[in-house]
């Protein structure tokens, strides 16, 4: 791999052991994948921050890095953790003291390395894109799969689907390997999927994501001709694509801010109304759920506005309604008076975390959600889960 003078200096340990270690990991992975050079990044977003996900081994690894004097050399933000850091009682979980201690140690280590603890999987709904100067063509290293697909597909960012540790190393090294979705070739669609039915609501968009993961060969990029009804639908589509397969990007006609090179398309698939209906039927909730769950990935303002409209229309729900969102969006919703209105209907909020990366695992309750990703992981945790858009969730909660 070609290395600049500065990169050689870092590898020689002239900028400290932590930076040397971080860059050597990036170089090794890049070489294994055939990268010929590195590329500077403008921002890193680190996942694998929840104590539920990384456990004691992860805590020790992150703490060791911090002790070694590691510092992020580009603006770096952190994904949700296992707890609402201001009010752990908001999550329907009984935390052990050991859990809270472990989670705090992880957060303290990230803070000491200079990370901004936004603790959300939707950094694109915060001040981060503006502050880090991110726009179409910006190279970043993001570790949260839903954000990776959203960033590549709808913001024109360039990022591979980094595992948590690799985004962490890239943030310390300030660069990553130039390969895959960083390159024009890596972003060429290889399959075209046309959806003959739409516009799709956010639950249908999630199910489309599942289909795209099935129809696109390993690690490829699909060109998608579909109509998605709203921005939350894009977020749910991105999250589902990242959940159901290993894709890091889709080209969505009319939305993705770059012109696809269609010369490499080898297969064309059509999804009709019948296929969508069949897929939706398989995941539909039944009866009144114990919990309506919204906010995976973390809810944005428009989700909260829609939820408030539907609650106003249909009245106070009998099911528990739980929303996970970022502290940033929560503050904005507070300013707009949305939190007051929603809490008057009994809506509960968790920030910094979600039902998936917290230790929530209550197999005795049923959960209905508008997120394919939440549906997928809650089902895996043994929770009875179903998928439907917000108006139908509110309807079913009465
Ligand atoms: Fe975010 Fe948790 Fe879903 S981290 S993408 S809300 S699983």
């Amino acid at each position: 791999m070609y290395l600049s003078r500065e990169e050689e200096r870092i590898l020689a340990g002239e900028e400290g052991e932590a930076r040397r270690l971080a860059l050597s990991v990036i170089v090794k992975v890049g070489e294994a994948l055939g990268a010929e050079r590195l590329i500077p990044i403008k921002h890193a977003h680190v996942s694998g921050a929840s104590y539920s996900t990384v456990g004691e081994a992860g805590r020790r690894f992150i703490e060791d890095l911090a002790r070694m004097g590691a510092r992020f050399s580009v603006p770096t933000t952190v994904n949700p953790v296992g707890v609402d850091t201001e009010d752990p009682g908001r999550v329907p979980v009984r935390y052990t003291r050991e859990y809270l201690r472990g989670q705090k140690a992880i957060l303290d280590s990230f803070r000491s390395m200079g990370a901004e603890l936004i603790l959300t999987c939707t950094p694109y709904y915060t001040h981060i894109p503006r502050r880090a100067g991110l726009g179409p063509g910006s190279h970043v290293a993001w570790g949260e799969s839903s954000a990776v697909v959203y960033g590549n597909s709808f913001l024109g960012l360039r990022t591979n689907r980094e595992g948590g540790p690799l985004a962490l190393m890239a943030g310390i090294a300030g660069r990553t390997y130039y390969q895959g979705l960083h390159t024009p070739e890596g972003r060429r669609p290889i399959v075209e999927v046309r959806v003959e039915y739409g516009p799709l609501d956010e639950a249908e968009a999630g199910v489309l994501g599942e289909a795209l993961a099935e129809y696109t060969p390993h690690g490829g990029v699909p060109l998608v001709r579909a109509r998605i009804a709203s921005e939350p639908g894009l977020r749910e589509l991105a999250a589902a694509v990242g959940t159901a397969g290993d894709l890091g990007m889709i080209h969505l006609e009319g939305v993705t801010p770059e012109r696809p090179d269609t010369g490499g398309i080898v297969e064309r698939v059509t999804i009709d109304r019948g296929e969508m209906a069949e897929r939706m039927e398989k995941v539909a909730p039944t009866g009144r759920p114990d919990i309506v769950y919204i906010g995976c990935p973390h809810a944005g303002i428009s989700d909260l506005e829609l939820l408030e409209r539907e609650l106003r229309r249909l009245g106070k729900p009998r099911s528990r309604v739980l929303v996970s969102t970022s502290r940033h969006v929560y503050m904005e919703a507070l300013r707009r008076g949305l939190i007051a209105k929603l809490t008057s209907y009994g809506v509960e909020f968790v920030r910094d975390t979600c039902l998936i990366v917290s230790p929530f695992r209550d197999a005795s309750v049923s959960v209905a959600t508008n997120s394919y990703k939440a549906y997928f992981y809650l089902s895996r945790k043994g929770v009875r889960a179903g998928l439907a858009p917000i108006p139908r969730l509110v309807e079913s909660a009465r």
Side-chain angles (χ1 to χ4, degrees), residues 200-210 228-230 232-234 236-237 240 276 279-280 283-285 369-373 375 386-393:
L200 306 181
D201 63 42
E202 79 275 20
E204 292 168 327
V207 157
L208 170 61
E210 173 194 68
I228 308 298
S230 63
L234 297 179
E236 296 306 330
L237 171 59
M276 280 304 294
R279 286 179 182 270
M280 286 305 293
V283 296
T369 175
N370 65 340
S371 158
Y372 175 86
K373 180 169 183 175
Y375 160 81
L387 175 67
I390 286 179
R392 284 232 286 288
L393 294 180

Side-chain angles (χ1 to χ4, degrees), residues 79-80 121 144 146 239 293 295-298 324 353-354 356-357 373 377:
N79 221 34
C121 43
E144 160 58 42
S146 65
Y293 177 50
C296 170
H298 276 170
S324 52
T353 184
C354 69
I356 318 302
V357 300
K373 180 169 183 175
Y377 283 112

Side-chain angles (χ1 to χ4, degrees), residues 18 22 32 39 68 97 108 139 182 223 235 248 285 302:
I39 181 122
M68 209 186 262
R97 246 202 282 196
D108 288 347
H139 292 271
H182 287 280
L223 168 61
R235 185 192 68 221
S302 52

Side-chain angles (χ1 to χ4, degrees), residues 124 142 146-159 187 238 248 257:
Y124 44 84
W142 283 9
S146 65
V148 167
V149 180
Y150 191 101
N152 276 318
S153 311
F154 309 135
L155 306 177
L157 303 182
R158 308 280 191 265
T159 175
R187 300 171 76 87

Side-chain angles (χ1 to χ4, degrees), residues 58-101:
R59 176 190 67 76
R60 273 199 300 275
F61 172 69
I62 296 163
E63 269 187 338
D64 286 349
L65 271 175
R67 273 200 209 103
M68 209 186 262
R71 295 283 303 170
F72 292 113
S73 52
V74 293
T76 296
T77 49
V78 178
N79 221 34
V81 291
V83 66
D84 184 314
T85 57
E86 277 181 14
D87 191 353
R90 285 174 179 250
V91 186
V93 159
R94 203 169 286 151
Y95 292 99
T96 62
R97 246 202 282 196
E98 187 210 356
Y99 188 100
L100 293 174
R101 248 202 314 268

